[in-house]
Amino acid sequence: MHQLEISDLITAVEPRSGRRLPVRRAEVIQQLLESGDERAARIVAELPTDQDGVLDPHAVDRLLISVHTELQRLSEELRIGERLVHLLGPLFTAIRSTTGQPGPYRLVDVGCGLGYLIRWLAATNALGADVELVGVDLDAALVGEADRLARAEGLDCRFVHGNAFDLPEAATLYVSTGVLHHFRGPALAEFFQAQAASPAHAFCHFDIAATRLAPIGARVFHHARMRHPLGRHDGVVSARRAHSDETLLRAAAAPGIRPLLYEPRGLANPFCTTLRPVIGVRPHLEAPLRLALGRAARRLVGPEHLAEATG
């Protein structure tokens, strides 16, 4: 059975409105036991509830903010911002060269959490003044904390509680970090289809590279750096749930999108590659993107690479 991440189970919202729903602790524990994860069930059993057995939403919010704060520290140590700009910069260069319009362009971070990426981009102005930065999350507590941090830091960006694909303003480019492995089965393809059906020019989603070493590295790293058992547990499970190259490229092949993978398994160093992106561009953007990437374009492959690898 697939292991489950505790953080996915202890909160529930309506996907369109973002309205919070009650979560019963006993039901979460039962799900975890049915998946064979007794350790996770014990972690959840320690979380407080009201007299009806519903998880205390304020305690859950405090816990998730604490865990995401630690994840932000890991993102800083792994220089995630610089790694994303390595691709986001050329993507916006390609978009600017083909639109014939001066902007503004809009980057939307799907499932932004505490908004580390958006806040880092705003603080460094790494993408230029013509790029508007928006973080969106269905978790009101996380996005509220992201907004508080951005205001305290005096940053020019904004955060929205809700569905990233229901914003009144169209996105130019969608991005995410550590989100894709949360989608299973048809939901993964539906995630990409929603972006293909939008006016967006491209997407760039970074997630854990599915290698044999990933779960081992995640266990060592998260046990050394994460304080709460939930963060340690979910960090290892997320590595086990990472999607293969084949799964990502198939799911991203939505109508009107050219799916591309940067640093596929055969070209990546398994000891160094923790996150890598699947990219989707409108077909006319592929050539200018490769031109903007320069020599690094050799690490960018499409679905035909998989046929060559298995042929």
Side-chain angles (χ1 to χ4, degrees):
M1 292 184 181
H2 286 295
Q3 281 194 278
L4 304 171
E5 292 186 54
I6 298 171
S7 56
D8 286 342
L9 303 178
I10 60 176
T11 62
V13 298
E14 289 184 343
R16 307 307 294 186
S17 68
R19 184 175 69 87
R20 190 166 193 156
L21 303 172
V23 176
R24 293 189 171 277
R25 185 175 65 183
E27 294 176 0
V28 175
I29 291 173
Q30 184 62 31
Q31 283 182 273
L32 292 168
L33 291 175
E34 289 175 354
S35 72
D37 197 339
E38 295 183 6
R39 176 171 173 267
R42 290 195 297 271
I43 293 172
V44 173
E46 296 296 322
L47 301 181
T49 67
D50 65 14
Q51 59 184 6
D52 296 320
V54 173
L55 286 171
D56 180 350
H58 301 295
V60 169
D61 288 345
R62 289 193 298 270
L63 173 57
L64 292 181
I65 288 173
S66 174
V67 169
H68 277 258
T69 299
E70 292 189 329
L71 288 174
Q72 173 176 303
R73 188 182 70 246
L74 298 186
S75 295
E76 293 168 348
E77 293 175 352
L78 294 172
R79 304 175 68 89
I80 296 300
E82 290 93 331
R83 294 191 61 195
L84 267 68
V85 168
H86 174 68
L87 287 175
L88 296 180
L91 273 167
F92 275 108
T93 296
I95 291 169
R96 291 185 184 102
S97 71
T98 57
T99 59
Q101 298 177 352
Y105 305 101
R106 185 171 294 108
L107 180 145
V108 174
D109 185 4
V110 184
C112 66
L114 293 184
Y116 169 73
L117 172 62
I118 292 294
R119 291 188 289 111
W120 186 90
L121 291 172
T124 59
N125 194 32
L127 298 178
D130 60 347
V131 178
E132 179 185 356
L133 302 168
V134 184
V136 186
D137 204 295
L138 285 168
D139 190 303
L142 293 179
V143 82
E145 180 67 3
D147 183 67
R148 185 192 70 80
L149 290 169
R151 285 186 283 106
E153 296 161 358
L155 299 176
D156 184 14
C157 56
R158 62 189 179 96
F159 294 93
V160 179
H161 172 226
N163 189 309
F165 306 129
D166 286 341
L167 298 179
E169 312 96 343
T172 305
L173 190 153
Y174 287 104
V175 66
S176 72
T177 54
V179 167
L180 293 182
H181 67 272
H182 291 280
F183 294 99
R184 315 310 299 178
L188 182 63
E190 292 168 2
F191 175 75
F192 289 115
Q193 289 163 8
Q195 294 162 80
S198 78
H201 294 262
F203 56 73
C204 181
H205 298 292
F206 277 73
D207 205 17
I208 302 163
T211 66
R212 292 181 179 178
L213 293 176
I216 300 172
R219 177 174 295 278
V220 172
F221 199 64
H222 283 81
H223 277 252
R225 306 299 289 144
M226 301 293 281
R227 297 181 181 89
H228 196 278
L230 183 150
R232 294 175 175 177
H233 173 274
D234 282 8
V236 176
V237 172
S238 62
R240 292 175 178 159
R241 288 163 59 91
H243 296 297
S244 67
D245 294 357
E246 296 82 358
T247 297
L248 289 174
L249 282 173
R250 280 198 302 268
I257 288 293
R258 165 68 168 162
L260 299 162
L261 199 63
Y262 193 74
E263 292 188 328
R265 188 168 54 243
L267 300 180
N269 182 337
F271 293 97
C272 300
T273 303
T274 52
L275 297 180
R276 55 79 195 276
V278 58
I279 300 169
V281 296
R282 302 300 176 184
H284 69 277
L285 281 174
E286 182 177 2
L289 171 60
R290 290 183 177 277
L291 179 64
L293 279 169
R295 291 173 59 87
R298 295 176 298 178
R299 298 150 76 183
L300 196 64
V301 301
E304 61 277 2
H305 169 79
L306 299 179
E308 295 170 1
T310 58

